[in-house]
Amino acid sequence: MVTTPTRDPSSNVMSLPLPSPKAPPEYPDLYGKRREMAKVQMLEREISFLEEELKSSEGFQPASKCCKEIADFVMANSDPLLPTTKKNRKTCRLWKWLCRMRCLNLSWICCRCCDCFSGCCNCKQNCKCSSCLSSTKCSLSNWCCCFDKKSHCCKEFCGCNNCCCILSGCNFRWPFPSCCDCKCSCSCTCPSFPKVRPCGSCTKC
Amino acid sequence: MTCAFSPTGQSVACGGLDSVCSIFNLNSPTDRDGNLNVSRMLSGHKGYVSSCQYVPGEDTHLITGSGDQTCVLWDITTGLRTSVFGGEFQSGHTADVLSISINGSNSKMFVSGSCDATARLWDTRVASRAVRTFHGHEGDVNSVKFFPDGNRFGTGSEDGTCRLFDIRTGHQLQVYNQQHSGDNEMAHVTSIAFSISGRLLIAGYTNGDCYVWDTLLAKVVLNLGSLQNSHEGRITCLGLSADGSALCTGSWDTNLKIWAFGGHRKVI
């Protein structure tokens, strides 16, 4: 409010009115507004990123496939921190139990853990066994039963008529009677002539 | 807080509370006291440097994670920042970055773990936003490490769990969680590493435990913390040798210990 100057009656001087305090001018808070707008823009950008991600997630492969990839990778690579000759018995027992569950199709992994047991191996994929017996029925086509000659199978030609079966490592039933380690015994008779070598080389079971 | 060898082994990077990542050339002469002088200082972070790793195959590039909520790709030759991931004006972590891990199969990708309880996957060619954000943890993600096949990564967290995520789909594939014996409070995971085949996940905890997890079965196969001559304090860091035959653990008990299959040697 502008006040008009007044004349002092005692003198001829015009005196200016006393200043009256005024409120500071209202400047627009541009910095705060711009900051808030920037935050809103960032949130809108995050929303569009999430919408894009949601759309792209429709074509993703199921998690089970990812798990299989991990298992395949782990089994295919050796590890210095893991024993190679000694089997992890606890893990083998778990896999044996899992592999016997017919409702679970774990054949893709059953043959990679421990020995080939109670199931079928895909002989084309890193079969540790030296021979595949295609005569044994497998639940999966083009698969065959894989036997490791060393531990589960008998030598085909023992060279003797009698085989003593020592059931080492055979903890499951197979249709083959020769699932054992072969020790041959020879039965021989000593001839009557004294110049002939005695039967010292024959061993009994 | 962090250190790393260069791929050729010719230099070392380390960073900490000074917000700087210092580079030391191991071929340079030492001073009279046997100390090596800094050959380059990477300055620019506005917070502590929590983690650093050289880009595989490149002695001239390095990625750091920082308490300023960003990750930075550095050109060591010039000392300048090539890219900044996250920060005030870009989409990224909303709290301190505690750990990073570069994909050994594709060095253009790396993951970061943060106090915002997420891990984020980044493409070094696109700094404006993360490729994917991984939720699930209920506390700070203290450690991230890529799985050897480059398509998955593991995390270790303040919530006491480790997790396995797929980078292509974002799926959380596995949770590694087990109650620690004799603990009323949950032990936090401070550091993780995968064995060379990925079959084992090794995790260090704040209570001195060091669990060796079977990655596939999510079972603890061994607790190094229960063995004779185990650490007497928090495990703060661990790492595997290049050939995967030995594990080294560091602890608040001031010791570094080297563990190998069938043996144990202590390094002071």
Side-chain angles (χ1 to χ4, degrees), chain A residues 35 42 45-46 49 52-53 56 60-63 66-67 69-71 73-75 77-83 88 91 94-95 109, chain B residues 88-92 129 131-133 147-149 152 164 166 168-169 171 173 195-200 216-217 240 243-245 261:
Chain A
R35 200 172 187 85
M42 277 178 61
R45 191 171 52 181
E46 287 291 332
F49 288 159
E52 272 175 38
E53 223 174 291
S56 66
F60 286 160
Q61 66 183 15
C66 302
C67 294
E69 286 174 0
I70 294 171
F73 181 87
V74 164
M75 295 303 172
N77 290 283
S78 62
D79 196 318
L81 292 179
L82 291 168
N88 184 334
T91 313
L94 171 65
W95 280 117
I109 200 170
Chain B
E88 202 177 353
F89 304 108
Q90 292 184 116
S91 174
R129 53 165 291 199
V131 174
R132 186 160 283 115
T133 303
F147 190 75
D149 74 349
R152 263 66 60 166
L164 188 67
D166 188 288
R168 295 164 303 178
T169 59
H171 287 136
L173 302 175
S195 68
I196 205 168
S197 69
R199 183 64 191 265
L200 303 175
L216 300 180
L217 301 177
L240 250 74
D243 65 356
S245 64
F261 180 72

Side-chain angles (χ1 to χ4, degrees), chain B residues 3-190:
Chain B
C3 56
F5 265 108
S6 68
T8 60
Q10 303 297 307
S11 60
V12 164
C14 56
L17 295 174
D18 59 357
S19 306
V20 170
C21 188
S22 305
I23 310 294
F24 296 86
N25 187 333
L26 299 180
N27 295 321
S28 301
T30 56
D31 61 18
R32 272 187 301 179
D33 299 323
N35 296 320
L36 206 56
N37 292 323
V38 177
S39 62
R40 176 77 69 194
M41 292 183 77
L42 306 178
S43 305
H45 274 302
K46 295 172 193 167
Y48 61 88
V49 176
S50 57
S51 54
C52 66
Q53 186 181 347
Y54 279 85
V55 174
E58 296 179 39
D59 268 31
T60 55
H61 289 89
L62 181 80
I63 295 179
T64 53
S66 170
D68 65 8
Q69 307 179 9
T70 69
C71 300
V72 171
L73 171 65
W74 300 86
D75 182 336
I76 296 172
T77 315
T78 58
L80 300 175
R81 290 172 289 187
T82 303
S83 301
V84 179
F85 306 92
E88 202 177 353
F89 304 108
Q90 292 184 116
S91 174
H93 283 296
T94 55
D96 302 14
V97 174
L98 299 176
S99 178
I100 62 132
S101 175
I102 304 176
N103 190 339
S105 306
N106 176 5
S107 58
K108 296 276 185 273
M109 310 295 288
F110 72 95
V111 290
S112 56
S114 166
C115 287
D116 63 11
T118 69
R120 288 176 202 243
L121 175 69
W122 301 90
D123 186 328
T124 55
R125 297 161 293 191
V126 180
S128 56
R129 53 165 291 199
V131 174
R132 186 160 283 115
T133 303
F134 302 85
H135 300 271
H137 278 297
E138 295 169 1
D140 300 358
V141 178
N142 292 321
S143 182
V144 291
K145 212 49 71 77
F146 259 99
F147 190 75
D149 74 349
N151 290 320
R152 263 66 60 166
F153 69 93
T155 54
S157 169
E158 195 187 37
D159 65 8
T161 70
C162 298
R163 293 172 198 239
L164 188 67
F165 294 93
D166 188 288
I167 64 168
R168 295 164 303 178
T169 59
H171 287 136
Q172 181 181 280
L173 302 175
Q174 192 62 277
V175 180
Y176 306 92
N177 186 17
Q178 180 167 303
Q179 187 66 32
H180 296 254
S181 56
D183 273 351
N184 292 325
E185 290 182 17
M186 190 185 300
H188 307 161
V189 181
T190 59

Side-chain angles (χ1 to χ4, degrees), chain A residues 2-86:
Chain A
V2 176
T3 55
T4 53
T6 54
R7 190 182 292 277
D8 188 357
S10 57
S11 67
N12 229 8
V13 176
M14 294 283 279
S15 61
L16 287 170
L18 290 169
S20 58
K22 290 180 185 177
E26 284 182 9
Y27 294 109
D29 184 11
L30 289 173
Y31 182 72
K33 189 178 177 181
R34 282 184 189 146
R35 200 172 187 85
E36 292 305 314
M37 280 181 64
K39 282 183 188 174
V40 168
Q41 278 173 6
M42 277 178 61
L43 280 169
E44 285 173 351
R45 191 171 52 181
E46 287 291 332
I47 291 170
S48 68
F49 288 159
L50 287 167
E51 282 171 350
E52 272 175 38
E53 223 174 291
L54 259 172
K55 252 187 184 177
S56 66
S57 68
E58 287 167 16
F60 286 160
Q61 66 183 15
S64 55
K65 217 170 177 185
C66 302
C67 294
K68 185 180 180 313
E69 286 174 0
I70 294 171
D72 286 345
F73 181 87
V74 164
M75 295 303 172
N77 290 283
S78 62
D79 196 318
L81 292 179
L82 291 168
T84 49
T85 49
K86 253 189 176 180

Side-chain angles (χ1 to χ4, degrees), chain A residues 12-191:
Chain A
N12 229 8
V13 176
M14 294 283 279
S15 61
L16 287 170
L18 290 169
S20 58
K22 290 180 185 177
E26 284 182 9
Y27 294 109
D29 184 11
L30 289 173
Y31 182 72
K33 189 178 177 181
R34 282 184 189 146
R35 200 172 187 85
E36 292 305 314
M37 280 181 64
K39 282 183 188 174
V40 168
Q41 278 173 6
M42 277 178 61
L43 280 169
E44 285 173 351
R45 191 171 52 181
E46 287 291 332
I47 291 170
S48 68
F49 288 159
L50 287 167
E51 282 171 350
E52 272 175 38
E53 223 174 291
L54 259 172
K55 252 187 184 177
S56 66
S57 68
E58 287 167 16
F60 286 160
Q61 66 183 15
S64 55
K65 217 170 177 185
C66 302
C67 294
K68 185 180 180 313
E69 286 174 0
I70 294 171
D72 286 345
F73 181 87
V74 164
M75 295 303 172
N77 290 283
S78 62
D79 196 318
L81 292 179
L82 291 168
T84 49
T85 49
K86 253 189 176 180
K87 298 286 190 323
N88 184 334
R89 295 295 167 203
K90 278 189 182 171
T91 313
C92 275
R93 268 189 245 131
L94 171 65
W95 280 117
K96 280 183 184 177
W97 178 77
L98 283 172
C99 291
R100 286 196 187 109
M101 304 269 290
R102 294 199 181 274
C103 56
L104 297 173
N105 182 13
L106 294 173
S107 48
W108 55 271
I109 200 170
C110 283
C111 290
R112 292 180 188 263
C113 294
C114 310
D115 305 314
C116 297
F117 54 85
S118 72
C120 299
C121 300
N122 186 337
C123 290
K124 291 171 190 172
Q125 290 179 12
N126 298 323
C127 193
K128 285 184 188 177
C129 307
S130 53
S131 70
C132 285
L133 299 176
S134 55
S135 56
T136 308
K137 274 188 185 174
C138 287
S139 56
L140 300 169
S141 62
N142 297 325
W143 285 39
C144 56
C145 270
C146 196
F147 288 88
D148 187 338
K149 266 189 177 174
K150 265 186 179 176
S151 60
H152 298 301
C153 299
C154 190
K155 288 180 187 175
E156 287 178 15
F157 298 104
C158 209
C160 300
N161 293 325
N162 302 317
C163 268
C164 288
C165 274
I166 301 167
L167 294 176
S168 59
C170 280
N171 50 10
F172 44 80
R173 290 182 185 176
W174 292 99
F176 306 102
S178 58
C179 184
C180 56
D181 287 339
C182 287
K183 262 195 180 178
C184 294
S185 67
C186 299
S187 58
C188 54
T189 52
C190 296

